[in-house]
Amino acid sequence: MVRFALTSLLYAPAALLQIFTKAPVAYYPPSPGGGSQLDNAGGGLGEPLNVIISGLSSPSVLTDTGILHYAQAIGFSMECLSIHLGAPQSANLGDGHGWVNQTLELRQDYGDPDLGTCLESLVGGNHFRVFRQNGPLANSGALFLAVSKEEDVAEGHTIIPDGYNVGRDDMVSAAQGHTSYEGVKYFTIVQNVTGLLAAGSVGVNHGIATDGIVQLLTVTVV
């Protein structure tokens, strides 16, 4: 019986084998697995998953603690006093898990990883939501990020005009090349990816158009 089980596993479909092993790929496109490059922001609209941290990055970066420390190296940190206002958004990354709530939401820290995000909550700035692709159908380990730049609290933290493109570009500019946090050094390579996200504003939250570009970041601890 044991021999039969092992033999069956050897000849199992690739999708089944991904349950047991993380595939060495940068990411899987969500659409073939029934997913979307827009998350679910409510009301039938979504925010673009416009940055991907590659599954080929250093494994430590792809953990919850690792992405937090990497974010702190590029100017983001936990929300002010760990208080989150508003409902979490969800994403379907086509990995077999369906719609899953965000893992983290991180905000621009204005140079102070402890209290700087409190300033962002007041005056606005950049922020991003993190979703992990690790289901049985597409286990890349990649992190899909919904990045956007928002208005101040008086404007209800709505997204600024062109805020999805601007937020993405500001984040990537801060991340590219050499960065560090608490003695850990990172090197980030950036690649433009098209074909994952449709350009325009159809289905996009707040009706704000995007240019359709997704930035793929491969982050190495050096």
Side-chain angles (χ1 to χ4, degrees):
M1 184 176 296
V2 173
R3 179 180 299 173
F4 173 79
L6 291 174
T7 302
S8 298
L9 181 58
L10 287 174
Y11 291 96
L16 178 59
L17 292 179
Q18 287 175 25
I19 297 174
F20 302 98
T21 60
K22 174 183 173 298
V25 297
Y27 64 91
Y28 290 100
S31 181
S36 173
Q37 201 69 32
L38 295 175
D39 72 8
N40 180 8
L45 301 174
E47 299 195 347
L49 301 171
N50 49 10
V51 174
I52 300 173
I53 307 293
S54 169
L56 300 178
S57 299
S58 294
S60 62
V61 174
L62 301 174
T63 67
D64 289 357
T65 300
I67 186 57
L68 171 59
H69 288 173
Y70 177 66
Q72 289 169 324
I74 63 174
F76 295 80
S77 196
M78 295 293 290
E79 295 187 278
C80 177
L81 305 177
S82 297
I83 298 173
H84 176 70
L85 300 178
Q89 295 183 10
S90 61
N92 183 345
L93 301 181
D95 61 359
H97 280 328
W99 292 92
V100 177
N101 282 349
Q102 64 199 43
T103 298
L104 291 169
E105 185 168 349
L106 302 171
R107 296 185 180 277
Q108 187 175 351
D109 66 17
Y110 290 99
D112 183 346
D114 296 318
L115 296 175
T117 56
C118 296
L119 179 60
E120 193 278 343
S121 294
L122 291 174
V123 305
N126 221 356
H127 75 304
F128 65 87
R129 306 170 193 270
V130 180
F131 304 90
R132 179 174 286 109
Q133 188 178 58
N134 63 349
L137 302 183
N139 188 10
S140 69
L143 303 178
F144 285 61
L145 312 182
V147 188
S148 58
K149 193 165 186 176
E150 60 185 7
E151 303 277 10
D152 61 25
V153 66
E155 298 293 330
H157 286 164
T158 190
I159 308 301
I160 69 169
D162 200 29
Y164 298 121
N165 293 336
V166 171
R168 176 203 62 204
D169 291 348
D170 286 354
M171 176 194 172
V172 170
S173 177
Q176 189 165 14
H178 292 278
T179 55
S180 65
Y181 179 74
E182 291 191 342
V184 180
K185 298 178 180 179
Y186 305 94
F187 183 69
T188 301
I189 296 173
V190 180
Q191 177 184 350
N192 283 359
V193 178
T194 57
L196 293 177
L197 180 67
S201 62
V202 175
V204 180
N205 203 26
H206 306 295
I208 297 173
T210 77
D211 58 14
I213 295 173
V214 175
Q215 298 276 19
L216 177 67
L217 309 185
T218 304
V219 184
T220 304
V221 175
V222 296

